[in-house]
Amino acid sequence: MKRVRVRFAPSPTGYLHVGNARTALFNWLFARQQDGVFILRVEDTDVERSTAEYDRKLMEDLRWLGLDWDEGPDVGGEYGPYRQSQRLDLYRAHAEKLLKEDKAYPCFCSPEELEQERQKALDAGQTPVYSGKCRGISREKSTRRVASGEKAAIRLRTPSEGIISFHDLVRGTLQFDLSLIGDPILVRSNGLPAYNYAVVVDDFLMAITHVIRGEDHIQNTPRQILTFQALGFDPPVFAHLSMVMGKDNTRLSKRHGATAVDQFDKDGILPSALFNYLVLLGWASPDGREVLTKDELIGLFRLEKVSRSSAIFDYDKLAWINRQHIKTLPSHTKAEYAFPHLKTAGLLPEEMTPLHWEWLAKAVDALVEKADRFAELPALFSILFDFFLLNMDEDAKEILKESCSLEVIRSFSDKIARVENFDYQVFGLMTKEIKEDTGCKGKDLYHPLRVALTAKASGLELDKFIPVVEEGAKLAFPRLIKSCAQRVSETLAFIDR
Ligand code: GLU
């Protein structure tokens, strides 16, 4: 059996987004599980819209997502070059061959003429098909016209009737009416190859065995098969993936919020979580598990099991998967992911000492449980950095009005002022003493203690809060963290005011 060779062929005309990232992932998974080769090919023949920045960013985003390629523009390979703009000679040579064999012909129709023809067909409610006007021009005549400098595109000569069919791994057997296809352009009059042509030359010369791509290319496939046949090449196996839709069942676009891979990174979605979630768009694991690692996905993924129906992109589901992936990370890794978010929010110093990192790991561990994404952390960290008695929420104010509260806080303040190293264990002993001193217990005891420490009625559990605040209070931050003793004494002064 031939070794599997698949390619991801983005055009550098925009950022990597949910739809094409999923196409890349399915190709990559298939290659890895079949012990095949995954190729990155950059389709940059649209010179007006392609940019070097998109080209660079596409590769950066693919790598961020955890993909690597065995052959590609930056890593090279035996079948290069891997940018279409560097393969123009190859397209030219194959077009010459087709012209020589009379399988293709020069077309002198101007864009205006073709547009008029197209519009006419559309107005009459018909599918626009090239009229075949230049098909009949004799070789001698067209050679003369080209030699005299007349601009010409090159078109493939295709049968004007009959059926062309192919078997699609996802969609089964598909049939197309040749009378609705017309002779496709191979090379434009400006000398640049058309997508449908360049892709065929490349897929053949790069020995691609399976073309896995979006369903939006399905109408192109019969044209590409006709081109493969004209060139005398065997076409690869095709698998067309359904489109990704937004929750409102329209094709996913910026309107639906974040769709660019780069934006998920900024939101604090882990690459492993996005990877996991994208694979679930159109595929499900046989045992129904949804939280899966890359290695598990390589083992379980089956191209033939990919669904024909369109997949719905659901950010909330992605966020949930992200939360599950965050849980599996070691503390120091969580701290590294959290760092840029907290730093941008102005909470962390320029220079982090080892003690800062140690503290950050503990703080993130305590607070990230309440987050779906790392971008939510700055708001959650407010419980450590902000202690605003004046902005106290209503529930907290109510608690302070309770009969036990003043006495409890006063007793707490006395005790905490006298200890040198306050920690959760000391807090435990203190609460017993406060209970004895005041006769207050249960929520009458614990609620005012929480308000005195956090200025809030609810939030992080105190066994997590106290150590993080106490250790944080000893470190330098752009905005200092108040110690527990300071908080309690401020609360008392606030009540007494
Ligand atoms: N450059 C095309 C695209 O980005 C590639 C399609 C294909 O895989 O053939 O849509």
Side-chain angles (χ1 to χ4, degrees), residues 261-275:
V261 165
D262 181 57
Q263 186 58 44
F264 297 113
D265 182 18
K266 291 189 183 126
D267 286 359
I269 297 282
L270 291 170
S272 67
L274 185 61
F275 188 114

Side-chain angles (χ1 to χ4, degrees), residues 408-416 427 430 434 449 488:
V408 164
I409 294 173
R410 204 168 265 156
S411 164
F412 187 23
S413 177
D414 277 353
K415 296 188 193 331
I416 200 169
F427 175 70
M430 270 183 198
I434 300 169
L449 292 178
V488 180

Side-chain angles (χ1 to χ4, degrees), residues 339-350 378 385 477-480:
F339 175 72
H341 298 276
L342 295 163
K343 170 87 192 316
T344 310
L347 298 179
L348 296 178
E350 279 305 320
F385 284 97
F477 289 105
R479 232 154 75 205
L480 294 181

Side-chain angles (χ1 to χ4, degrees), residues 7 9-11 43 195 199 211-213 217 224:
R7 84 307 192 272
S11 304
E43 305 208 320
Y195 154 72
V199 90
V211 166
I212 307 167
R213 63 182 168 203
H217 284 291
Q224 292 177 16

